Structures are given as C-alpha cells and as structure tokens.
Short mmCIF file of all heavy atoms in Angstrom, two decimals:
data_model
loop_
_atom_site.label_atom_id
_atom_site.label_comp_id
_atom_site.label_asym_id
_atom_site.label_seq_id
_atom_site.Cartn_x
_atom_site.Cartn_y
_atom_site.Cartn_z
N MET A 23 275.31 83.60 96.78
CA MET A 23 274.01 84.09 96.33
C MET A 23 274.17 85.52 95.81
O MET A 23 274.85 86.33 96.40
CB MET A 23 273.02 84.03 97.49
CG MET A 23 271.66 84.57 97.09
SD MET A 23 270.47 84.54 98.42
CE MET A 23 269.75 82.96 98.09
N ASP A 24 273.54 85.80 94.74
CA ASP A 24 273.63 87.11 94.08
C ASP A 24 272.42 87.94 94.50
O ASP A 24 271.38 87.92 93.85
CB ASP A 24 273.66 86.89 92.57
CG ASP A 24 273.97 88.15 91.80
OD1 ASP A 24 274.18 89.19 92.42
OD2 ASP A 24 273.99 88.07 90.57
N LEU A 25 272.55 88.71 95.59
CA LEU A 25 271.41 89.43 96.15
C LEU A 25 271.03 90.70 95.41
O LEU A 25 270.02 91.31 95.71
CB LEU A 25 271.68 89.78 97.62
CG LEU A 25 271.80 88.59 98.56
CD1 LEU A 25 272.13 89.08 99.97
CD2 LEU A 25 270.52 87.77 98.58
N ASP A 26 271.83 91.12 94.45
CA ASP A 26 271.51 92.37 93.75
C ASP A 26 270.80 92.14 92.42
O ASP A 26 270.73 93.03 91.60
CB ASP A 26 272.76 93.21 93.56
CG ASP A 26 273.79 92.56 92.66
OD1 ASP A 26 273.64 91.36 92.34
OD2 ASP A 26 274.76 93.24 92.29
N ARG A 27 270.21 90.97 92.24
CA ARG A 27 269.54 90.67 90.98
C ARG A 27 268.05 90.93 91.01
O ARG A 27 267.36 90.71 90.03
CB ARG A 27 269.76 89.20 90.61
CG ARG A 27 271.19 88.89 90.28
CD ARG A 27 271.39 87.48 89.80
NE ARG A 27 270.66 87.27 88.56
CZ ARG A 27 269.85 86.25 88.35
NH1 ARG A 27 269.65 85.35 89.26
NH2 ARG A 27 269.22 86.12 87.21
N SER A 28 267.51 91.38 92.11
CA SER A 28 266.06 91.53 92.20
C SER A 28 265.64 92.99 92.24
O SER A 28 266.47 93.90 92.21
CB SER A 28 265.54 90.78 93.42
OG SER A 28 264.13 90.64 93.34
N ASP A 29 264.34 93.20 92.35
CA ASP A 29 263.77 94.54 92.26
C ASP A 29 264.09 95.44 93.44
O ASP A 29 263.94 96.65 93.35
CB ASP A 29 262.25 94.44 92.10
CG ASP A 29 261.87 93.69 90.84
OD1 ASP A 29 262.64 93.73 89.87
OD2 ASP A 29 260.80 93.07 90.82
N HIS A 30 264.55 94.89 94.55
CA HIS A 30 264.87 95.70 95.73
C HIS A 30 266.22 96.41 95.59
O HIS A 30 266.46 97.40 96.26
CB HIS A 30 264.90 94.82 96.98
CG HIS A 30 266.05 93.89 96.97
ND1 HIS A 30 266.07 92.76 96.17
CD2 HIS A 30 267.24 93.95 97.60
CE1 HIS A 30 267.23 92.16 96.33
NE2 HIS A 30 267.95 92.85 97.19
N GLU A 31 267.09 95.94 94.74
CA GLU A 31 268.46 96.44 94.66
C GLU A 31 268.57 97.93 94.38
O GLU A 31 269.38 98.61 95.01
CB GLU A 31 269.26 95.64 93.63
CG GLU A 31 270.75 95.90 93.66
CD GLU A 31 271.14 97.20 92.98
OE1 GLU A 31 270.46 97.61 92.03
OE2 GLU A 31 272.13 97.82 93.42
N PRO A 32 267.76 98.51 93.48
CA PRO A 32 267.87 99.96 93.28
C PRO A 32 267.59 100.76 94.55
O PRO A 32 268.16 101.83 94.76
CB PRO A 32 266.82 100.26 92.20
CG PRO A 32 266.64 98.97 91.48
CD PRO A 32 266.83 97.90 92.53
N PHE A 33 266.74 100.23 95.40
CA PHE A 33 266.47 100.91 96.68
C PHE A 33 267.68 100.81 97.60
O PHE A 33 268.11 101.79 98.19
CB PHE A 33 265.22 100.30 97.35
CG PHE A 33 263.97 100.53 96.56
CD1 PHE A 33 263.52 99.57 95.65
CD2 PHE A 33 263.25 101.70 96.72
CE1 PHE A 33 262.37 99.79 94.92
CE2 PHE A 33 262.09 101.93 95.98
CZ PHE A 33 261.65 100.96 95.07
N TRP A 34 268.24 99.60 97.74
CA TRP A 34 269.43 99.42 98.56
C TRP A 34 270.56 100.31 98.05
O TRP A 34 271.31 100.88 98.83
CB TRP A 34 269.89 97.97 98.53
CG TRP A 34 269.13 97.04 99.40
CD1 TRP A 34 268.05 97.32 100.19
CD2 TRP A 34 269.39 95.65 99.57
NE1 TRP A 34 267.63 96.19 100.83
CE2 TRP A 34 268.42 95.15 100.47
CE3 TRP A 34 270.31 94.78 99.03
CZ2 TRP A 34 268.39 93.82 100.86
CZ3 TRP A 34 270.28 93.46 99.42
CH2 TRP A 34 269.34 92.98 100.33
N GLY A 35 270.69 100.41 96.74
CA GLY A 35 271.75 101.22 96.13
C GLY A 35 271.63 102.69 96.48
O GLY A 35 272.61 103.43 96.39
N ARG A 36 270.44 103.13 96.89
CA ARG A 36 270.22 104.53 97.27
C ARG A 36 269.98 104.67 98.78
O ARG A 36 269.44 105.66 99.25
CB ARG A 36 269.05 105.10 96.49
CG ARG A 36 269.40 105.27 95.02
CD ARG A 36 268.17 105.59 94.20
NE ARG A 36 268.51 105.75 92.80
CZ ARG A 36 268.73 104.75 91.94
NH1 ARG A 36 268.66 103.51 92.34
NH2 ARG A 36 269.01 105.00 90.68
N CYS A 37 270.38 103.62 99.53
CA CYS A 37 270.25 103.59 101.00
C CYS A 37 268.81 103.74 101.46
O CYS A 37 268.53 104.34 102.50
CB CYS A 37 271.15 104.65 101.64
SG CYS A 37 272.89 104.36 101.31
N ILE A 38 267.88 103.23 100.67
CA ILE A 38 266.47 103.21 101.04
C ILE A 38 266.15 101.80 101.52
O ILE A 38 266.43 100.83 100.80
CB ILE A 38 265.57 103.58 99.84
CG1 ILE A 38 265.90 104.98 99.33
CG2 ILE A 38 264.09 103.45 100.21
CD1 ILE A 38 265.25 105.33 98.01
N PRO A 39 265.61 101.66 102.73
CA PRO A 39 265.32 100.31 103.23
C PRO A 39 264.40 99.55 102.28
O PRO A 39 263.42 100.09 101.78
CB PRO A 39 264.62 100.56 104.57
CG PRO A 39 265.04 101.94 104.97
CD PRO A 39 265.23 102.70 103.69
N ALA A 40 264.74 98.32 102.05
CA ALA A 40 263.95 97.44 101.20
C ALA A 40 264.12 96.01 101.68
O ALA A 40 265.12 95.69 102.32
CB ALA A 40 264.38 97.56 99.74
N VAL A 41 263.16 95.18 101.37
CA VAL A 41 263.20 93.79 101.80
C VAL A 41 263.26 92.90 100.58
O VAL A 41 262.54 93.10 99.60
CB VAL A 41 261.93 93.45 102.62
CG1 VAL A 41 261.89 91.99 102.99
CG2 VAL A 41 261.86 94.32 103.87
N LEU A 42 264.12 91.92 100.66
CA LEU A 42 264.19 90.90 99.61
C LEU A 42 263.39 89.70 100.07
O LEU A 42 263.69 89.07 101.07
CB LEU A 42 265.65 90.48 99.37
CG LEU A 42 265.85 89.23 98.52
CD1 LEU A 42 265.28 89.43 97.12
CD2 LEU A 42 267.32 88.86 98.46
N LEU A 43 262.31 89.44 99.36
CA LEU A 43 261.52 88.23 99.58
C LEU A 43 261.70 87.38 98.34
O LEU A 43 261.44 87.83 97.24
CB LEU A 43 260.04 88.58 99.76
CG LEU A 43 259.69 89.44 100.94
CD1 LEU A 43 258.22 89.82 100.90
CD2 LEU A 43 260.03 88.74 102.24
N THR A 44 262.14 86.18 98.54
CA THR A 44 262.38 85.35 97.37
C THR A 44 261.68 84.01 97.48
O THR A 44 261.62 83.43 98.55
CB THR A 44 263.89 85.14 97.12
OG1 THR A 44 264.04 84.36 95.94
CG2 THR A 44 264.58 84.47 98.27
N GLY A 45 261.17 83.60 96.39
CA GLY A 45 260.58 82.28 96.27
C GLY A 45 261.36 81.50 95.25
O GLY A 45 260.83 80.61 94.62
N THR A 46 262.61 81.88 95.07
CA THR A 46 263.51 81.28 94.09
C THR A 46 262.94 81.34 92.68
O THR A 46 262.98 80.37 91.94
CB THR A 46 263.87 79.83 94.47
OG1 THR A 46 262.66 79.04 94.52
CG2 THR A 46 264.59 79.77 95.81
N ALA A 47 262.39 82.48 92.33
CA ALA A 47 261.74 82.65 91.02
C ALA A 47 262.65 82.29 89.86
O ALA A 47 262.20 81.74 88.86
CB ALA A 47 261.25 84.08 90.87
N THR A 48 263.93 82.59 89.99
CA THR A 48 264.85 82.28 88.88
C THR A 48 264.96 80.79 88.65
O THR A 48 265.30 80.37 87.54
CB THR A 48 266.25 82.87 89.14
OG1 THR A 48 266.74 82.36 90.38
CG2 THR A 48 266.22 84.37 89.18
N LEU A 49 264.67 79.99 89.67
CA LEU A 49 264.73 78.54 89.51
C LEU A 49 263.40 77.96 89.06
O LEU A 49 263.35 76.85 88.55
CB LEU A 49 265.14 77.88 90.85
CG LEU A 49 266.47 78.34 91.43
CD1 LEU A 49 266.70 77.69 92.79
CD2 LEU A 49 267.61 78.00 90.48
N ARG A 50 262.31 78.70 89.26
CA ARG A 50 260.98 78.19 88.96
C ARG A 50 260.39 78.68 87.66
O ARG A 50 259.52 78.05 87.08
CB ARG A 50 259.99 78.53 90.09
CG ARG A 50 260.24 77.80 91.37
CD ARG A 50 259.23 78.16 92.45
NE ARG A 50 259.38 79.55 92.89
CZ ARG A 50 258.65 80.58 92.45
NH1 ARG A 50 257.70 80.40 91.58
NH2 ARG A 50 258.86 81.79 92.89
N SER A 51 260.85 79.82 87.18
CA SER A 51 260.22 80.40 86.00
C SER A 51 261.25 80.74 84.93
O SER A 51 262.17 81.53 85.17
CB SER A 51 259.46 81.67 86.38
OG SER A 51 258.96 82.30 85.21
N PRO A 52 261.09 80.22 83.75
CA PRO A 52 262.00 80.57 82.66
C PRO A 52 261.75 82.00 82.14
O PRO A 52 262.51 82.52 81.34
CB PRO A 52 261.68 79.54 81.57
CG PRO A 52 260.26 79.15 81.83
CD PRO A 52 260.09 79.23 83.33
N HIS A 53 260.68 82.64 82.63
CA HIS A 53 260.31 83.99 82.19
C HIS A 53 260.88 85.10 83.06
O HIS A 53 260.80 86.27 82.69
CB HIS A 53 258.78 84.12 82.17
CG HIS A 53 258.10 83.05 81.39
ND1 HIS A 53 258.12 82.98 80.02
CD2 HIS A 53 257.39 81.97 81.82
CE1 HIS A 53 257.45 81.92 79.62
NE2 HIS A 53 257.00 81.29 80.70
N TYR A 54 261.43 84.76 84.22
CA TYR A 54 261.87 85.74 85.21
C TYR A 54 262.79 86.80 84.60
O TYR A 54 263.84 86.48 84.05
CB TYR A 54 262.56 85.04 86.37
CG TYR A 54 262.92 85.95 87.52
CD1 TYR A 54 261.94 86.44 88.36
CD2 TYR A 54 264.23 86.32 87.74
CE1 TYR A 54 262.26 87.28 89.42
CE2 TYR A 54 264.56 87.16 88.80
CZ TYR A 54 263.57 87.63 89.63
OH TYR A 54 263.90 88.46 90.67
N HIS A 55 262.37 88.06 84.68
CA HIS A 55 263.12 89.23 84.18
C HIS A 55 263.47 89.12 82.70
O HIS A 55 264.54 89.53 82.27
CB HIS A 55 264.37 89.47 85.02
CG HIS A 55 264.06 90.15 86.31
ND1 HIS A 55 265.04 90.66 87.11
CD2 HIS A 55 262.90 90.41 86.96
CE1 HIS A 55 264.50 91.20 88.20
NE2 HIS A 55 263.19 91.05 88.11
N ARG A 56 262.58 88.56 81.93
CA ARG A 56 262.74 88.49 80.48
C ARG A 56 261.53 89.16 79.83
O ARG A 56 260.54 89.47 80.49
CB ARG A 56 262.84 87.03 80.04
CG ARG A 56 264.04 86.35 80.64
CD ARG A 56 264.45 85.19 79.81
NE ARG A 56 265.78 84.78 80.26
CZ ARG A 56 266.14 83.54 80.41
NH1 ARG A 56 265.31 82.57 80.12
NH2 ARG A 56 267.35 83.25 80.80
N ASP A 57 261.59 89.36 78.55
CA ASP A 57 260.46 89.96 77.84
C ASP A 57 259.18 89.15 78.00
O ASP A 57 258.08 89.69 77.95
CB ASP A 57 260.77 90.12 76.35
CG ASP A 57 261.81 91.19 76.09
OD1 ASP A 57 262.04 92.04 76.98
OD2 ASP A 57 262.40 91.18 74.99
N SER A 58 259.31 87.85 78.21
CA SER A 58 258.14 86.98 78.37
C SER A 58 257.61 86.99 79.80
O SER A 58 256.64 86.29 80.11
CB SER A 58 258.49 85.55 77.95
OG SER A 58 259.55 85.05 78.75
N ASP A 59 258.21 87.78 80.70
CA ASP A 59 257.76 87.89 82.10
C ASP A 59 256.53 88.82 82.12
O ASP A 59 256.62 90.00 82.42
CB ASP A 59 258.89 88.45 82.96
CG ASP A 59 258.63 88.32 84.45
OD1 ASP A 59 257.56 87.84 84.84
OD2 ASP A 59 259.53 88.71 85.23
N THR A 60 255.39 88.25 81.79
CA THR A 60 254.14 89.00 81.65
C THR A 60 253.11 88.48 82.66
O THR A 60 253.28 87.39 83.22
CB THR A 60 253.59 88.86 80.22
OG1 THR A 60 253.40 87.47 79.94
CG2 THR A 60 254.55 89.46 79.20
N PRO A 61 252.05 89.24 82.91
CA PRO A 61 251.06 88.81 83.90
C PRO A 61 250.52 87.40 83.69
O PRO A 61 250.25 86.68 84.66
CB PRO A 61 249.96 89.85 83.77
CG PRO A 61 250.67 91.08 83.31
CD PRO A 61 251.75 90.58 82.38
N ASP A 62 250.38 86.97 82.47
CA ASP A 62 249.82 85.64 82.22
C ASP A 62 250.79 84.51 82.57
O ASP A 62 250.39 83.35 82.61
CB ASP A 62 249.34 85.51 80.78
CG ASP A 62 250.47 85.68 79.78
OD1 ASP A 62 251.13 86.74 79.83
OD2 ASP A 62 250.69 84.77 78.96
N THR A 63 252.05 84.82 82.87
CA THR A 63 253.01 83.77 83.24
C THR A 63 253.25 83.70 84.75
O THR A 63 254.02 82.87 85.22
CB THR A 63 254.37 83.97 82.54
OG1 THR A 63 254.97 85.18 83.02
CG2 THR A 63 254.22 84.00 81.03
N LEU A 64 252.58 84.57 85.52
CA LEU A 64 252.76 84.58 86.97
C LEU A 64 251.95 83.48 87.65
O LEU A 64 250.90 83.08 87.17
CB LEU A 64 252.35 85.94 87.54
CG LEU A 64 253.17 87.13 87.09
CD1 LEU A 64 252.60 88.42 87.68
CD2 LEU A 64 254.63 86.97 87.46
N ASP A 65 252.47 83.02 88.78
CA ASP A 65 251.79 82.01 89.60
C ASP A 65 251.04 82.77 90.70
O ASP A 65 251.58 83.06 91.76
CB ASP A 65 252.82 81.05 90.18
CG ASP A 65 252.20 79.93 91.00
OD1 ASP A 65 251.02 80.05 91.40
OD2 ASP A 65 252.91 78.94 91.25
N TYR A 66 249.79 83.12 90.44
CA TYR A 66 249.02 83.96 91.35
C TYR A 66 248.71 83.26 92.67
O TYR A 66 248.63 83.92 93.71
CB TYR A 66 247.75 84.48 90.67
CG TYR A 66 248.07 85.54 89.65
CD1 TYR A 66 248.19 85.23 88.31
CD2 TYR A 66 248.28 86.85 90.04
CE1 TYR A 66 248.50 86.21 87.37
CE2 TYR A 66 248.59 87.84 89.12
CZ TYR A 66 248.71 87.50 87.78
OH TYR A 66 249.03 88.48 86.86
N ALA A 67 248.56 81.96 92.66
CA ALA A 67 248.33 81.24 93.92
C ALA A 67 249.55 81.35 94.82
O ALA A 67 249.43 81.62 96.03
CB ALA A 67 248.00 79.77 93.64
N ARG A 68 250.74 81.18 94.28
CA ARG A 68 251.97 81.32 95.06
C ARG A 68 252.14 82.78 95.50
O ARG A 68 252.54 83.04 96.63
CB ARG A 68 253.18 80.86 94.26
CG ARG A 68 254.45 80.83 95.10
CD ARG A 68 255.65 80.36 94.30
NE ARG A 68 255.46 79.04 93.75
CZ ARG A 68 255.94 77.93 94.29
NH1 ARG A 68 256.61 77.99 95.40
NH2 ARG A 68 255.75 76.77 93.71
N LEU A 69 251.83 83.73 94.65
CA LEU A 69 251.93 85.14 95.00
C LEU A 69 251.02 85.46 96.18
O LEU A 69 251.41 86.17 97.11
CB LEU A 69 251.57 86.01 93.79
CG LEU A 69 251.57 87.51 93.99
CD1 LEU A 69 252.93 88.02 94.42
CD2 LEU A 69 251.13 88.20 92.71
N ALA A 70 249.82 84.92 96.18
CA ALA A 70 248.89 85.13 97.29
C ALA A 70 249.44 84.53 98.58
O ALA A 70 249.31 85.13 99.65
CB ALA A 70 247.53 84.52 96.96
N GLN A 71 250.06 83.37 98.51
CA GLN A 71 250.66 82.75 99.69
C GLN A 71 251.78 83.62 100.26
O GLN A 71 251.88 83.80 101.48
CB GLN A 71 251.21 81.36 99.36
CG GLN A 71 250.15 80.33 99.11
CD GLN A 71 250.74 79.00 98.67
OE1 GLN A 71 251.86 78.93 98.16
NE2 GLN A 71 249.97 77.94 98.84
N VAL A 72 252.60 84.17 99.38
CA VAL A 72 253.68 85.05 99.82
C VAL A 72 253.12 86.31 100.47
O VAL A 72 253.57 86.74 101.53
CB VAL A 72 254.62 85.40 98.65
CG1 VAL A 72 255.62 86.49 99.04
CG2 VAL A 72 255.36 84.17 98.17
N ALA A 73 252.10 86.90 99.86
CA ALA A 73 251.49 88.11 100.40
C ALA A 73 250.86 87.83 101.78
O ALA A 73 251.01 88.63 102.71
CB ALA A 73 250.43 88.65 99.44
N ASP A 74 250.18 86.70 101.91
CA ASP A 74 249.58 86.34 103.20
C ASP A 74 250.65 86.12 104.26
O ASP A 74 250.51 86.55 105.41
CB ASP A 74 248.72 85.08 103.06
CG ASP A 74 247.44 85.31 102.28
OD1 ASP A 74 247.05 86.49 102.10
OD2 ASP A 74 246.84 84.31 101.84
N SER A 75 251.74 85.46 103.89
CA SER A 75 252.83 85.22 104.83
C SER A 75 253.48 86.52 105.25
O SER A 75 253.80 86.72 106.43
CB SER A 75 253.88 84.29 104.21
OG SER A 75 253.32 83.03 103.94
N LEU A 76 253.69 87.42 104.31
CA LEU A 76 254.28 88.72 104.63
C LEU A 76 253.37 89.51 105.55
O LEU A 76 253.83 90.11 106.53
CB LEU A 76 254.57 89.51 103.36
CG LEU A 76 255.12 90.92 103.56
CD1 LEU A 76 256.42 90.90 104.35
CD2 LEU A 76 255.30 91.59 102.21
N ALA A 77 252.08 89.52 105.27
CA ALA A 77 251.13 90.24 106.12
C ALA A 77 251.14 89.69 107.54
O ALA A 77 251.13 90.45 108.51
CB ALA A 77 249.72 90.16 105.52
N ALA A 78 251.20 88.38 107.68
CA ALA A 78 251.25 87.77 109.02
C ALA A 78 252.54 88.12 109.74
O ALA A 78 252.53 88.43 110.94
CB ALA A 78 251.10 86.25 108.90
N ALA A 79 253.66 88.11 109.02
CA ALA A 79 254.95 88.45 109.64
C ALA A 79 254.97 89.91 110.08
O ALA A 79 255.45 90.23 111.17
CB ALA A 79 256.09 88.18 108.66
N LEU A 80 254.44 90.79 109.25
CA LEU A 80 254.40 92.22 109.62
C LEU A 80 253.45 92.46 110.79
O LEU A 80 253.74 93.30 111.65
CB LEU A 80 254.01 93.07 108.42
CG LEU A 80 255.05 93.15 107.31
CD1 LEU A 80 254.48 93.88 106.10
CD2 LEU A 80 256.33 93.80 107.80
N ALA A 81 252.35 91.75 110.84
CA ALA A 81 251.41 91.91 111.95
C ALA A 81 252.04 91.47 113.26
O ALA A 81 251.73 92.01 114.33
CB ALA A 81 250.14 91.11 111.68
N ALA A 82 252.95 90.49 113.21
CA ALA A 82 253.60 89.99 114.42
C ALA A 82 254.86 90.77 114.78
O ALA A 82 255.39 90.60 115.88
CB ALA A 82 253.96 88.52 114.22
N ALA A 83 255.32 91.63 113.90
CA ALA A 83 256.56 92.39 114.13
C ALA A 83 256.31 93.55 115.07
O ALA A 83 255.19 94.04 115.18
CB ALA A 83 257.09 92.90 112.80
N PRO A 84 257.38 94.00 115.73
CA PRO A 84 257.24 95.19 116.58
C PRO A 84 256.76 96.38 115.75
O PRO A 84 257.07 96.48 114.56
CB PRO A 84 258.66 95.44 117.09
CG PRO A 84 259.39 94.17 116.87
CD PRO A 84 258.72 93.47 115.72
N ALA A 85 256.02 97.28 116.37
CA ALA A 85 255.47 98.44 115.66
C ALA A 85 256.56 99.31 115.08
O ALA A 85 256.43 99.85 113.99
CB ALA A 85 254.58 99.25 116.59
N ASP A 86 257.67 99.48 115.79
CA ASP A 86 258.77 100.32 115.32
C ASP A 86 259.95 99.42 115.01
O ASP A 86 260.56 98.85 115.90
CB ASP A 86 259.16 101.35 116.38
CG ASP A 86 260.29 102.26 115.93
OD1 ASP A 86 260.76 102.11 114.78
OD2 ASP A 86 260.70 103.11 116.72
N LEU A 87 260.27 99.29 113.76
CA LEU A 87 261.38 98.44 113.33
C LEU A 87 262.69 99.21 113.27
O LEU A 87 263.63 98.81 112.62
CB LEU A 87 261.08 97.81 111.97
CG LEU A 87 259.87 96.87 111.95
CD1 LEU A 87 259.61 96.39 110.54
CD2 LEU A 87 260.10 95.70 112.89
N GLY A 88 262.76 100.35 113.94
CA GLY A 88 264.00 101.13 113.97
C GLY A 88 264.14 102.06 112.78
O GLY A 88 265.21 102.60 112.54
N LEU A 89 263.09 102.27 112.02
CA LEU A 89 263.19 103.13 110.85
C LEU A 89 263.02 104.61 111.19
O LEU A 89 263.41 105.47 110.43
CB LEU A 89 262.15 102.72 109.80
CG LEU A 89 262.30 101.30 109.26
CD1 LEU A 89 261.17 100.99 108.29
CD2 LEU A 89 263.65 101.11 108.61
N ALA A 90 262.43 104.90 112.35
CA ALA A 90 262.15 106.29 112.71
C ALA A 90 263.43 107.11 112.78
O ALA A 90 263.45 108.28 112.42
CB ALA A 90 261.40 106.34 114.03
N GLU A 91 264.53 106.51 113.23
CA GLU A 91 265.79 107.25 113.36
C GLU A 91 266.34 107.70 112.01
O GLU A 91 267.13 108.61 111.94
CB GLU A 91 266.84 106.37 114.06
CG GLU A 91 266.49 105.99 115.47
CD GLU A 91 265.59 104.75 115.51
OE1 GLU A 91 265.68 103.89 114.63
OE2 GLU A 91 264.75 104.68 116.43
N ARG A 92 265.95 107.06 110.95
CA ARG A 92 266.48 107.36 109.61
C ARG A 92 265.75 108.51 108.94
O ARG A 92 266.16 109.00 107.92
CB ARG A 92 266.41 106.13 108.73
CG ARG A 92 267.29 105.02 109.26
CD ARG A 92 267.26 103.85 108.33
NE ARG A 92 268.06 102.79 108.89
CZ ARG A 92 267.93 101.53 108.59
NH1 ARG A 92 267.03 101.16 107.72
NH2 ARG A 92 268.69 100.63 109.14
N ARG A 93 264.63 108.91 109.47
CA ARG A 93 263.82 109.96 108.83
C ARG A 93 264.39 111.32 109.05
O ARG A 93 265.05 111.67 109.92
CB ARG A 93 262.39 109.92 109.35
CG ARG A 93 261.71 108.66 108.87
CD ARG A 93 260.28 108.64 109.35
NE ARG A 93 259.75 107.35 108.98
CZ ARG A 93 258.69 106.82 109.53
NH1 ARG A 93 258.05 107.45 110.48
NH2 ARG A 93 258.25 105.66 109.15
#
C-alpha cells in the first residue's frame, strides 16, 4: 500500500501528527487528485458517513492521545 499518496503525507513529512482515513477513493473515483476532482464530483453522502464515524471514534477515544508530550 502506498501510504504517502494522500493529503496527510505533507504533515507526516514534517513530523506533524496526522491521520489517514481512507475510503479507497482511488478505486472509487476516476477524478481523485486530478483536475476534474471538483466539488460536484464528490460523494457527499459517503463523506457525511465518514465524518460521523470519525466523530464517534473521537468521542470514544481517551481524552489524551499522548500528544501533550510533543508540544
């Protein structure tokens, strides 16, 4: 798997914590990271599901994920 192909990679490259959440966009959308990757080609229903899932996971996570030591 090529983990440095998404938007989180520039953060990882600068040692800034970032999370890779993938819905296999490269397999589902011919527009992914191309000039045709515009708002009208996004799947907003799927995006909402991902956002809801992330919010639920963060709500269930410990309050301190160990990031305080890095500050």
Side-chain angles (χ1 to χ4, degrees):
M23 178 181 268
D24 189 2
L25 295 177
D26 64 349
R27 293 185 63 230
S28 194
D29 299 332
H30 69 285
E31 191 282 329
F33 295 94
W34 282 2
R36 290 169 180 79
C37 298
I38 300 169
V41 176
L42 168 61
L43 298 174
T44 181
T46 61
T48 57
L49 302 176
R50 291 181 293 98
S51 175
H53 307 287
Y54 186 73
H55 281 191
R56 298 203 167 139
D57 290 342
S58 60
D59 193 357
T60 57
D62 61 304
T63 65
L64 296 177
D65 183 343
Y66 287 96
R68 187 179 301 261
L69 178 60
Q71 289 175 338
V72 171
D74 289 344
S75 297
L76 177 58
L80 291 173
D86 181 1
L87 297 176
L89 298 177
E91 297 84 30
R92 296 183 182 158
R93 291 182 186 160

